[in-house]
């Protein structure tokens, strides 16, 4: 059980734990269910991040794969920050780094969560 908040930039260690647990279950070759209250943002972000990491694909491609079966899936932009930071740290991916920087440059996100965003950007590999 890894509780995450929707509409917030979550603690990166907590987000990473949720993704890593999901990855472990994916690798165990069984059925994996990731759920949240509405099944729209938190669960889709965690599973898309895990799928992107496990399949060496982009986060956007993983979200597209999920929306094929769950059209309402819409990762919140603040959760996307966690997802891209995870992929940058775990996989050192150039595309994830670019997406993280692009989302972080969003004025509305920066105004609301500037300190947290700077912390996530500080985790980027140089």
């Amino acid at each position: 059980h890894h509780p995450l908040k929707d509409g917030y930039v979550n603690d990166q260690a907590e987000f990473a734990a949720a993704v890593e647990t999901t990855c472990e279950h994916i690798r165990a070759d069984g059925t994996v269910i990731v759920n949240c209250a509405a099944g729209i943002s938190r669960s889709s972000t965690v599973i898309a991040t895990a799928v992107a990491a496990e399949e060496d694909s982009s986060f956007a491609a993983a979200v597209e794969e999920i929306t094929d079966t769950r059209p309402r899936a819409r990762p919140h932009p603040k959760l996307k920050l966690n997802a891209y930071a995870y992929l940058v740290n775990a996989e050192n991916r150039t595309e994830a780094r670019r997406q993280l920087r692009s989302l972080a440059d969003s004025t509305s996100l920066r105004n609301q969560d500037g300190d947290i965003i700077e912390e996530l950007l500080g985790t980027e590999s140089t």
Side-chain angles (χ1 to χ4, degrees):
H1 181 72
H2 299 284
L4 300 172
K5 296 178 183 176
D6 200 13
Y8 292 87
V9 179
N10 287 269
D11 176 79
Q12 192 60 27
E14 291 176 17
F15 183 84
V19 172
E20 289 166 10
T21 298
T22 303
C23 288
E24 289 171 13
H25 288 288
I26 289 171
R27 281 185 234 119
D29 199 29
T31 300
V32 178
I33 297 173
V34 178
N35 69 307
C36 61
I40 296 172
S41 182
R42 290 169 288 176
S43 58
S44 64
T45 304
V46 169
I47 195 69
T49 305
V51 167
E54 290 297 305
E55 295 182 0
D56 197 27
S57 65
S58 72
F59 179 77
V63 169
E64 186 175 318
E65 184 178 334
I66 291 166
T67 58
D68 285 347
T69 56
R70 178 83 171 145
R72 294 179 47 199
R74 299 275 186 281
H76 191 281
K78 291 183 180 184
L79 287 167
K80 285 181 183 180
L81 286 167
N82 286 114
Y84 289 123
Y86 177 87
L87 292 170
V88 166
N89 289 328
E91 308 288 329
N92 193 23
R93 295 183 185 194
T94 304
E95 176 65 17
R97 184 178 295 108
R98 188 175 61 74
Q99 291 294 335
L100 174 61
R101 175 61 64 188
S102 176
L103 275 170
D105 288 340
S106 164
T107 302
S108 62
L109 290 179
R110 185 164 296 282
N111 288 343
Q112 294 171 11
D113 298 294
D115 292 342
I116 298 169
I117 290 170
E118 288 306 316
E119 183 179 320
L120 289 176
L121 291 172
T123 65
E124 288 184 276
S125 300
T126 55

